[in-house]
Amino acid sequence: MDQSTASKQAALLHAEALALARAGRLVEAEQHWRQALARDASNFDVLHNLGAIALQTGRAEEALTHFTAAEALKPEAPEVHRNRAIACLHLGHPELALAALQRLFALKPDDEMALHQLVRLLMDEDRGDDAVTVLRAALDHQPSPACVPLMLANVLRVLGRIDEARDVLAPALKRGQDFYLFADLVSFQAGDPQITAMEDLLHKAMAPEDLAALKFALAKAYSDSGAPDKSFALLSEANRLMRRLVRYDEASTLADFSHVADAFTRELMAAAAGPETLAPIIILGMPRSGTTLVEQILASHPVIAGAGENAVLPPLVERHVPGFPDTFPPATALAALARDYHAGMGRLLQDKPRLADKTLQSVFFVGLLQQAMPKARFIWVRRDPLDTCLSCYGRRFLSGQEYSYELGELGRYYRAYERLMRHWQEVLPPDALLTIRYEDVVADLEGQTRRLLAHCGEDFDPACLAFHTSKRPVFTASAAQVRQPLYNTSVGRWRPSPDALRPLLQALQG
């Protein structure tokens, strides 16, 4: 068979494979592509689609082989670089993924998705300054993607460069999400022209997500400028919008709290334990309760690294403890969980021996973590219930926290969280869990910092009192606040009338 005939047959098989794939018949489609490749090994489309189907079915190493061959044929094809990056990430090669994304963005400097992927990976790899460089270059490129000022301001905020973030974003305020981030970077005064700009923007057509973001921002501006009643009215509108945009199964969520408490009895907690070699610090507490502040204080200590809200633990529980919380793992599984947890946190340790982890889902895994790592230390940060809930109600969370957009649901979630934490207090060893009040930290920073460090078995270091000067990235909603010296304006904050708060008050009282 001559090469021309083989190429024609490969093209025909490729067309048939595409039709099969569109019909959902992926196994047959892959067979056709393999037959096509046997006839023409230089067909870019065949190689690229074989890579895509291998990636889709969990064969990242094979996918990378196909994408690499396809790239050699068409190095200017953007999608092959995007897919190579995904395959490299699946295989645990972030540097190779970065190289592929950098190539992709060089080919398509106006590609917002490529820019998002590149910046996110740079931030994941603790290369914030490189992310700033990439975004500033994108800002200089004409035309630049519309998302660049917002992305750059957010990266600068995470890095603690608040003034730079404000300067980047101020000239580019156009959408609700722009104003939402901007509102987190400034304190508004009555008569501020940006308040008028937001009020004018309210009357323009926009997507519900953007309108909700704008209303959250304007509510914050009203609160800052001395109009708390107007602020809460607008917050209620913003939260109603968000509640319609998210899916929240309250019954299932509340059942998860009870299920874990029922499974981890005192008798079970006294059973087998994992190796006593690791001593992570697990920070627990509702969002907006002061957990970021406590983490920032601890992470300012020379031997403690801050891991923030990371995604390391949940997939490890799924892998090592299938059926959690109904299945109790053997000692070997506990040891494997501890080992893989430490390995997964390795990059976040920053060459420090201790780690403070404030992953939100950790509240469900306290018992498991204590058994896997008996020297783990837990810190429960508490704040006045109304202050905590109203602070949650004032935020538009990027993901999760779907319970926070309706006052009754928010109060019931808070109560369920408290019940589970009370359970951990009862079943954990007496020296494992420290409860600390946000209000006490604000009133006596040094005294409470000494308590925190003593609980963790570390000596006091005055650097912890200057937590706001730390250069570590902070990714949570409190990123801007923890760059400031400690203040007490969030203690006993203004509250709406009892009538306005009735759903929350009733839920908190049970």
Side-chain angles (χ1 to χ4, degrees), residues 129-294:
D129 289 339
D130 290 337
V132 171
T133 299
V134 166
L135 286 164
R136 288 202 182 278
L139 197 61
D140 292 338
H141 184 272
Q142 295 301 323
S144 64
C147 64
V148 173
L150 182 65
M151 289 180 65
L152 177 55
N154 193 46
V155 168
L156 291 167
R157 179 188 71 98
V158 165
L159 297 176
R161 294 155 64 174
I162 306 301
D163 291 342
E164 289 181 67
R166 190 165 48 241
D167 292 343
V168 164
L169 196 53
L173 295 170
K174 296 177 181 177
R175 302 165 298 174
Q177 55 189 321
D178 299 330
F179 280 105
Y180 182 78
L181 179 57
F182 186 74
D184 199 40
L185 304 173
V186 301
S187 181
F188 294 93
Q189 304 295 324
D192 192 314
Q194 298 295 1
I195 295 179
T196 303
M198 286 189 277
E199 290 171 336
D200 291 342
L201 189 58
L202 274 179
H203 305 294
K204 297 184 179 179
M206 66 187 80
E209 297 92 334
D210 214 33
L211 180 58
L214 179 62
K215 290 187 174 186
F216 276 112
L218 187 53
K220 198 263 186 183
Y222 286 151
S223 178
D224 287 350
S225 58
D229 291 308
K230 287 177 68 176
S231 172
F232 189 75
L234 202 58
L235 263 188
S236 298
E237 294 178 20
N239 278 283
R240 281 194 292 271
L241 270 172
M242 286 302 301
R243 185 62 186 87
R244 289 197 291 267
L245 293 170
V246 301
R247 297 180 62 184
Y248 176 53
D249 186 340
E250 182 179 24
S252 175
T253 300
L254 299 185
D256 288 340
F257 283 97
S258 300
H259 197 180
V260 170
D262 290 342
F264 282 84
T265 62
R266 191 184 302 275
E267 293 72 25
L268 182 66
M269 292 296 294
E276 297 195 11
T277 53
L278 303 175
I281 302 164
I282 310 299
I283 301 173
L284 306 157
M286 283 281 293
R288 313 296 295 167
S289 65
T291 55
T292 300
L293 170 62
V294 167

Side-chain angles (χ1 to χ4, degrees), residues 17-36:
L18 286 175
L20 289 166
R22 281 192 290 268
R25 297 161 64 180
L26 297 184
V27 173
E28 295 168 80
E30 183 174 1
Q31 291 172 347
H32 277 64
W33 273 316
R34 291 193 182 281
Q35 292 171 21

